[in-house]
Amino acid sequence: MAQARSPAGPSGQLPDLSHSVKLEYVRLGCRYLINHILALLLISLVAAVAIEALSTQWLDLAYDLVSVLVVFAVVVLGSTVYLMTRPRPVYLVDYACHVPPHELQIPLQLLKERYRKFGTFDEPTAEFQLKVIERSGLGEETYAPEAMHSVPPRPSMALAREETEQVMFGALDALFENTAVNPKDVGVLVVNCSLFNPVPSLSAMIVNRYKLRSTVRSFNLGGMGCSAGVLAVGLAGDLLQVHQATYAVVVSTENITQNWYAGSRKSMLIANCLFRVGGAAVLLSNRLADRRRAKYRLVHVVRTHRGADDKAYRCVYQEQDDDGNVGVSLSRDLTAIAGGALKANITTLGPLVLPVSEQLLFLAKLVAKKLWSDKTKPHIPDFKRAFDHFCIHAGGRAVIDELEKNLELRPVDVEASRMTLHRFGNTSSSSIWYELAYIEAKGRMRKGHRVWQIAFGSGFKCNSAVWQALRNVKPSPHGPWEDCIHRYPVQTCHRIASPRQDAQPQPQQH
């Protein structure tokens, strides 16, 4: 599940990313870079040989058929090797985010009334949750599942299935309608949901609902936390390198009904306060014909897994409390562990995306630190020079605050994350798609812009996806911000204020 604890004290801050950068991550990043430039070096070498031969020996070649054939064969061979070994482009044709019905909204005042009527929590436990919510950055329009609107709550397998079906099918219906793609043309299906994994699987539910073909390659990812959406995209992208001319659908969601914690352990109550209903469906393609209508091209997916460390492994942990109530416990060390994972991830990502000047400055300061002084402060790369937009997983206000500070981002860079947290809450792995939709709805996405999606998840993982806009991107019909974008951004303070209900539409911000 997620990694965000709003009431974070000094022990819950991200570590300063300017300290303890490890060379192993630099080497790993360089290895990524080398793998990507081999094809360019090969084609450059072939071109140089051909140009040299044609420029210096043209007269001889005119009378030497063998030499002409050799040069021609080298060019053809090199071109063939390059075309066969280069990665197929993966295009993001479109995506859709589910917006639950209005009656499922759970404003704070209603939540206070429900807590009094539930009889599930004692007074201190209820007050603790309400205080966390007030400080969390969530607004008044987030959504809770139907089971949580009942007094008392009535979580069940049937209602959990119903919640998941409404979210997944709602997003998929919108996706197929907007793209006019026949579900039977989908060759790859990847579904991720951490805490609800019924039998048959969620991917089987989709296959049954849309009557996908019998040869569809379907996968169901469970227990992988809020970063699983990026993992699912990476898996789908890898499969599209193998299977030609097909579509891949990625569905990211989380189930709240079956995972409501009814105990009193504070570390397990945080999830109740932050998580809300939501989900997204994404259509990917490796068909060249789809490039003209696609929104983005997938550039990189970088994964970092810290599960070998015991503290990292247990910092987001599903277990029973002393009374037998099942919930997800969030460790006090969570934010610090997330910082370590982030540090490893961005140091690997840096050589792939940063300008050469930033990389050289980073390397020079790192070498100086190793050779002359352990106290030398390494250069923290300016990722604003690599990316135009940032989609930081909306796990909680504290994590967004710390990432803004440590990566030296501007308020506008984290605006999409803050507003998504305010409007929809923490929707787990799908939050990065609500954030991307926010940027589009604001009219800020231009051709050539690069987007960095970054998310954290149990295990512990930090994963990044980099996209490049193929055109000036407009929001798709029935988007999640369609009826409220004119009210955002809202002003933030100790608790983000609710958008004014009487606000008039304003011109889009560019």
mmCIF file of all heavy atoms in Angstrom, residues 1 223-225 305-319 328-331 333-334 337-338 341 457-461:
data_model
loop_
_atom_site.group_PDB
_atom_site.id
_atom_site.type_symbol
_atom_site.label_atom_id
_atom_site.label_comp_id
_atom_site.label_asym_id
_atom_site.label_seq_id
_atom_site.Cartn_x
_atom_site.Cartn_y
_atom_site.Cartn_z
ATOM 1 N N MET A 1 0.859 -1.181 0.000
ATOM 2 C CA MET A 1 0.000 0.000 0.000
ATOM 3 C C MET A 1 0.890 1.224 0.000
ATOM 4 O O MET A 1 1.976 1.211 -0.457
ATOM 5 C CB MET A 1 -0.898 -0.009 1.232
ATOM 6 C CG MET A 1 -1.903 -1.121 1.126
ATOM 7 S SD MET A 1 -3.628 -0.805 1.092
ATOM 8 C CE MET A 1 -4.019 0.535 1.981
ATOM 9 N N GLY A 223 0.159 -7.270 -3.923
ATOM 10 C CA GLY A 223 1.053 -7.034 -2.811
ATOM 11 C C GLY A 223 2.240 -6.145 -3.097
ATOM 12 O O GLY A 223 3.182 -6.105 -2.308
ATOM 13 N N MET A 224 2.213 -5.399 -4.200
ATOM 14 C CA MET A 224 3.394 -4.634 -4.610
ATOM 15 C C MET A 224 3.271 -3.152 -4.319
ATOM 16 O O MET A 224 4.130 -2.361 -4.717
ATOM 17 C CB MET A 224 3.700 -4.886 -6.086
ATOM 18 C CG MET A 224 3.894 -6.346 -6.422
ATOM 19 S SD MET A 224 4.560 -6.657 -8.055
ATOM 20 C CE MET A 224 6.287 -6.246 -7.819
ATOM 21 N N GLY A 225 2.200 -2.741 -3.644
ATOM 22 C CA GLY A 225 2.117 -1.378 -3.145
ATOM 23 C C GLY A 225 1.786 -0.339 -4.189
ATOM 24 O O GLY A 225 1.407 -0.634 -5.326
ATOM 25 N N HIS A 305 14.596 -1.712 -5.791
ATOM 26 C CA HIS A 305 13.998 -2.594 -4.780
ATOM 27 C C HIS A 305 14.935 -2.681 -3.579
ATOM 28 O O HIS A 305 16.089 -3.065 -3.705
ATOM 29 C CB HIS A 305 13.778 -3.991 -5.367
ATOM 30 C CG HIS A 305 12.725 -4.785 -4.655
ATOM 31 N ND1 HIS A 305 12.705 -4.946 -3.293
ATOM 32 C CD2 HIS A 305 11.640 -5.450 -5.122
ATOM 33 C CE1 HIS A 305 11.661 -5.687 -2.949
ATOM 34 N NE2 HIS A 305 10.996 -6.002 -4.041
ATOM 35 N N ARG A 306 14.414 -2.321 -2.395
ATOM 36 C CA ARG A 306 15.224 -2.315 -1.179
ATOM 37 C C ARG A 306 14.832 -3.452 -0.232
ATOM 38 O O ARG A 306 15.113 -3.411 0.967
ATOM 39 C CB ARG A 306 15.036 -0.977 -0.449
ATOM 40 C CG ARG A 306 15.275 0.252 -1.316
ATOM 41 C CD ARG A 306 16.726 0.571 -1.456
ATOM 42 N NE ARG A 306 17.273 1.098 -0.219
ATOM 43 C CZ ARG A 306 18.506 1.562 -0.086
ATOM 44 N NH1 ARG A 306 19.329 1.521 -1.114
ATOM 45 N NH2 ARG A 306 18.930 2.030 1.067
ATOM 46 N N GLY A 307 14.195 -4.479 -0.767
ATOM 47 C CA GLY A 307 13.685 -5.556 0.062
ATOM 48 C C GLY A 307 14.739 -6.378 0.768
ATOM 49 O O GLY A 307 14.423 -7.111 1.713
ATOM 50 N N ALA A 308 15.996 -6.280 0.359
ATOM 51 C CA ALA A 308 17.058 -7.032 1.028
ATOM 52 C C ALA A 308 17.325 -6.493 2.429
ATOM 53 O O ALA A 308 17.874 -7.204 3.278
ATOM 54 C CB ALA A 308 18.340 -6.982 0.193
ATOM 55 N N ASP A 309 16.925 -5.256 2.675
ATOM 56 C CA ASP A 309 17.084 -4.660 3.999
ATOM 57 C C ASP A 309 15.850 -4.973 4.840
ATOM 58 O O ASP A 309 14.719 -4.731 4.422
ATOM 59 C CB ASP A 309 17.260 -3.148 3.856
ATOM 60 C CG ASP A 309 17.390 -2.456 5.201
ATOM 61 O OD1 ASP A 309 18.485 -2.482 5.764
ATOM 62 O OD2 ASP A 309 16.378 -1.893 5.681
ATOM 63 N N ASP A 310 16.051 -5.512 6.044
ATOM 64 C CA ASP A 310 14.934 -5.952 6.879
ATOM 65 C C ASP A 310 14.001 -4.805 7.246
ATOM 66 O O ASP A 310 12.774 -4.956 7.242
ATOM 67 C CB ASP A 310 15.451 -6.631 8.150
ATOM 68 C CG ASP A 310 16.111 -7.973 7.857
ATOM 69 O OD1 ASP A 310 15.855 -8.529 6.773
ATOM 70 O OD2 ASP A 310 16.889 -8.449 8.707
ATOM 71 N N LYS A 311 14.560 -3.648 7.598
ATOM 72 C CA LYS A 311 13.715 -2.512 7.955
ATOM 73 C C LYS A 311 12.870 -2.056 6.776
ATOM 74 O O LYS A 311 11.688 -1.736 6.919
ATOM 75 C CB LYS A 311 14.574 -1.349 8.464
ATOM 76 C CG LYS A 311 15.051 -1.496 9.899
ATOM 77 C CD LYS A 311 15.697 -0.210 10.380
ATOM 78 C CE LYS A 311 16.080 -0.321 11.852
ATOM 79 N NZ LYS A 311 16.709 0.946 12.345
ATOM 80 N N ALA A 312 13.480 -2.009 5.606
ATOM 81 C CA ALA A 312 12.745 -1.603 4.411
ATOM 82 C C ALA A 312 11.651 -2.617 4.084
ATOM 83 O O ALA A 312 10.531 -2.247 3.698
ATOM 84 C CB ALA A 312 13.703 -1.451 3.226
ATOM 85 N N TYR A 313 11.965 -3.895 4.257
ATOM 86 C CA TYR A 313 11.003 -4.949 3.957
ATOM 87 C C TYR A 313 9.760 -4.856 4.838
ATOM 88 O O TYR A 313 8.635 -5.059 4.382
ATOM 89 C CB TYR A 313 11.681 -6.308 4.131
ATOM 90 C CG TYR A 313 10.741 -7.484 4.016
ATOM 91 C CD1 TYR A 313 10.208 -7.863 2.780
ATOM 92 C CD2 TYR A 313 10.379 -8.213 5.152
ATOM 93 C CE1 TYR A 313 9.351 -8.947 2.688
ATOM 94 C CE2 TYR A 313 9.522 -9.291 5.066
ATOM 95 C CZ TYR A 313 9.010 -9.657 3.827
ATOM 96 O OH TYR A 313 8.140 -10.708 3.743
ATOM 97 N N ARG A 314 9.935 -4.497 6.110
ATOM 98 C CA ARG A 314 8.826 -4.514 7.068
ATOM 99 C C ARG A 314 8.190 -3.142 7.297
ATOM 100 O O ARG A 314 7.281 -3.020 8.125
ATOM 101 C CB ARG A 314 9.307 -5.070 8.414
ATOM 102 C CG ARG A 314 9.681 -6.548 8.379
ATOM 103 C CD ARG A 314 9.934 -7.048 9.805
ATOM 104 N NE ARG A 314 8.715 -6.971 10.617
ATOM 105 C CZ ARG A 314 7.834 -7.954 10.731
ATOM 106 N NH1 ARG A 314 8.023 -9.098 10.082
ATOM 107 N NH2 ARG A 314 6.767 -7.812 11.497
ATOM 108 N N CYS A 315 8.636 -2.111 6.587
ATOM 109 C CA CYS A 315 8.129 -0.779 6.916
ATOM 110 C C CYS A 315 6.682 -0.580 6.474
ATOM 111 O O CYS A 315 5.986 0.285 6.998
ATOM 112 C CB CYS A 315 9.027 0.303 6.329
ATOM 113 S SG CYS A 315 8.945 0.475 4.552
ATOM 114 N N VAL A 316 6.212 -1.343 5.510
ATOM 115 C CA VAL A 316 4.792 -1.375 5.142
ATOM 116 C C VAL A 316 4.401 -2.848 5.183
ATOM 117 O O VAL A 316 4.756 -3.617 4.296
ATOM 118 C CB VAL A 316 4.542 -0.782 3.738
ATOM 119 C CG1 VAL A 316 3.055 -0.815 3.406
ATOM 120 C CG2 VAL A 316 5.068 0.638 3.662
ATOM 121 N N TYR A 317 3.652 -3.231 6.226
ATOM 122 C CA TYR A 317 3.517 -4.664 6.517
ATOM 123 C C TYR A 317 2.081 -4.982 6.931
ATOM 124 O O TYR A 317 1.545 -4.415 7.877
ATOM 125 C CB TYR A 317 4.468 -5.037 7.661
ATOM 126 C CG TYR A 317 4.832 -6.495 7.727
ATOM 127 C CD1 TYR A 317 5.797 -7.016 6.879
ATOM 128 C CD2 TYR A 317 4.215 -7.335 8.649
ATOM 129 C CE1 TYR A 317 6.143 -8.367 6.959
ATOM 130 C CE2 TYR A 317 4.557 -8.669 8.730
ATOM 131 C CZ TYR A 317 5.522 -9.191 7.881
ATOM 132 O OH TYR A 317 5.865 -10.503 7.942
ATOM 133 N N GLN A 318 1.474 -5.903 6.208
ATOM 134 C CA GLN A 318 0.119 -6.336 6.553
ATOM 135 C C GLN A 318 0.193 -7.407 7.641
ATOM 136 O O GLN A 318 0.915 -8.392 7.508
ATOM 137 C CB GLN A 318 -0.606 -6.883 5.333
ATOM 138 C CG GLN A 318 -2.081 -7.196 5.591
ATOM 139 C CD GLN A 318 -2.786 -7.735 4.361
ATOM 140 O OE1 GLN A 318 -2.178 -8.350 3.507
ATOM 141 N NE2 GLN A 318 -4.093 -7.503 4.271
ATOM 142 N N GLU A 319 -0.585 -7.194 8.720
ATOM 143 C CA GLU A 319 -0.542 -8.122 9.845
ATOM 144 C C GLU A 319 -1.800 -7.982 10.698
ATOM 145 O O GLU A 319 -2.659 -7.131 10.419
ATOM 146 C CB GLU A 319 0.694 -7.831 10.705
ATOM 147 C CG GLU A 319 0.738 -6.419 11.250
ATOM 148 C CD GLU A 319 2.033 -6.133 11.987
ATOM 149 O OE1 GLU A 319 2.742 -7.090 12.323
ATOM 150 O OE2 GLU A 319 2.319 -4.932 12.240
ATOM 151 N N VAL A 328 -2.764 -2.780 7.653
ATOM 152 C CA VAL A 328 -1.416 -2.527 7.146
ATOM 153 C C VAL A 328 -0.718 -1.566 8.093
ATOM 154 O O VAL A 328 -1.190 -0.446 8.309
ATOM 155 C CB VAL A 328 -1.448 -1.942 5.726
ATOM 156 C CG1 VAL A 328 -0.036 -1.579 5.266
ATOM 157 C CG2 VAL A 328 -2.067 -2.941 4.761
ATOM 158 N N SER A 329 0.377 -1.994 8.649
ATOM 159 C CA SER A 329 1.140 -1.190 9.596
ATOM 160 C C SER A 329 2.196 -0.387 8.858
ATOM 161 O O SER A 329 2.938 -0.926 8.023
ATOM 162 C CB SER A 329 1.808 -2.103 10.634
ATOM 163 O OG SER A 329 2.625 -1.356 11.506
ATOM 164 N N LEU A 330 2.254 0.915 9.161
ATOM 165 C CA LEU A 330 3.239 1.803 8.569
ATOM 166 C C LEU A 330 4.281 2.165 9.621
ATOM 167 O O LEU A 330 3.955 2.724 10.664
ATOM 168 C CB LEU A 330 2.569 3.073 8.032
ATOM 169 C CG LEU A 330 1.437 2.864 7.019
ATOM 170 C CD1 LEU A 330 0.910 4.200 6.529
ATOM 171 C CD2 LEU A 330 1.904 2.013 5.853
ATOM 172 N N SER A 331 5.539 1.851 9.347
ATOM 173 C CA SER A 331 6.619 2.058 10.293
ATOM 174 C C SER A 331 6.934 3.543 10.465
ATOM 175 O O SER A 331 6.741 4.353 9.552
ATOM 176 C CB SER A 331 7.870 1.320 9.815
ATOM 177 O OG SER A 331 9.014 1.743 10.500
ATOM 178 N N ASP A 333 9.834 4.590 10.511
ATOM 179 C CA ASP A 333 10.989 4.816 9.636
ATOM 180 C C ASP A 333 10.608 4.915 8.165
ATOM 181 O O ASP A 333 11.493 5.004 7.310
ATOM 182 C CB ASP A 333 11.998 3.664 9.797
ATOM 183 C CG ASP A 333 12.516 3.543 11.213
ATOM 184 O OD1 ASP A 333 12.699 4.593 11.855
ATOM 185 O OD2 ASP A 333 12.717 2.405 11.680
ATOM 186 N N LEU A 334 9.321 4.910 7.871
ATOM 187 C CA LEU A 334 8.864 4.818 6.493
ATOM 188 C C LEU A 334 9.408 5.930 5.618
ATOM 189 O O LEU A 334 9.932 5.685 4.524
ATOM 190 C CB LEU A 334 7.330 4.831 6.462
ATOM 191 C CG LEU A 334 6.673 4.821 5.077
ATOM 192 C CD1 LEU A 334 7.120 3.613 4.295
ATOM 193 C CD2 LEU A 334 5.171 4.836 5.201
ATOM 194 N N ILE A 337 13.103 5.560 4.959
ATOM 195 C CA ILE A 337 13.357 4.443 4.038
ATOM 196 C C ILE A 337 12.970 4.833 2.617
ATOM 197 O O ILE A 337 13.672 4.504 1.650
ATOM 198 C CB ILE A 337 12.586 3.198 4.511
ATOM 199 C CG1 ILE A 337 13.211 2.668 5.804
ATOM 200 C CG2 ILE A 337 12.587 2.112 3.438
ATOM 201 C CD1 ILE A 337 12.386 1.613 6.508
ATOM 202 N N ALA A 338 11.865 5.553 2.488
ATOM 203 C CA ALA A 338 11.470 6.048 1.166
ATOM 204 C C ALA A 338 12.546 6.963 0.594
ATOM 205 O O ALA A 338 12.839 6.928 -0.610
ATOM 206 C CB ALA A 338 10.136 6.785 1.265
ATOM 207 N N ALA A 341 15.369 4.839 -0.818
ATOM 208 C CA ALA A 341 14.972 4.244 -2.096
ATOM 209 C C ALA A 341 14.954 5.297 -3.199
ATOM 210 O O ALA A 341 15.359 5.048 -4.340
ATOM 211 C CB ALA A 341 13.607 3.581 -1.956
ATOM 212 N N GLY A 457 6.425 2.020 -2.967
ATOM 213 C CA GLY A 457 5.550 0.896 -2.652
ATOM 214 C C GLY A 457 6.177 -0.056 -1.656
ATOM 215 O O GLY A 457 7.388 -0.040 -1.419
ATOM 216 N N SER A 458 5.337 -0.887 -1.070
ATOM 217 C CA SER A 458 5.793 -1.861 -0.080
ATOM 218 C C SER A 458 6.845 -2.763 -0.692
ATOM 219 O O SER A 458 6.897 -2.988 -1.893
ATOM 220 C CB SER A 458 4.596 -2.682 0.411
ATOM 221 O OG SER A 458 3.951 -3.315 -0.677
ATOM 222 N N GLY A 459 7.700 -3.243 0.196
ATOM 223 C CA GLY A 459 8.737 -4.181 -0.289
ATOM 224 C C GLY A 459 10.154 -3.919 0.176
ATOM 225 O O GLY A 459 10.814 -4.828 0.552
ATOM 226 N N PHE A 460 10.799 -2.786 0.040
ATOM 227 C CA PHE A 460 10.258 -1.477 -0.280
ATOM 228 C C PHE A 460 10.799 -1.049 -1.643
ATOM 229 O O PHE A 460 11.957 -1.297 -1.936
ATOM 230 C CB PHE A 460 10.651 -0.466 0.818
ATOM 231 C CG PHE A 460 9.963 0.855 0.700
ATOM 232 C CD1 PHE A 460 8.724 1.057 1.244
ATOM 233 C CD2 PHE A 460 10.556 1.900 0.009
ATOM 234 C CE1 PHE A 460 8.080 2.282 1.128
ATOM 235 C CE2 PHE A 460 9.923 3.121 -0.106
ATOM 236 C CZ PHE A 460 8.677 3.309 0.452
ATOM 237 N N LYS A 461 9.960 -0.372 -2.439
ATOM 238 C CA LYS A 461 10.340 -0.049 -3.802
ATOM 239 C C LYS A 461 10.152 1.439 -4.093
ATOM 240 O O LYS A 461 9.275 2.090 -3.532
ATOM 241 C CB LYS A 461 9.507 -0.863 -4.789
ATOM 242 C CG LYS A 461 9.698 -2.362 -4.674
ATOM 243 C CD LYS A 461 8.802 -3.126 -5.621
ATOM 244 C CE LYS A 461 7.342 -3.058 -5.211
ATOM 245 N NZ LYS A 461 7.081 -3.754 -3.931
#
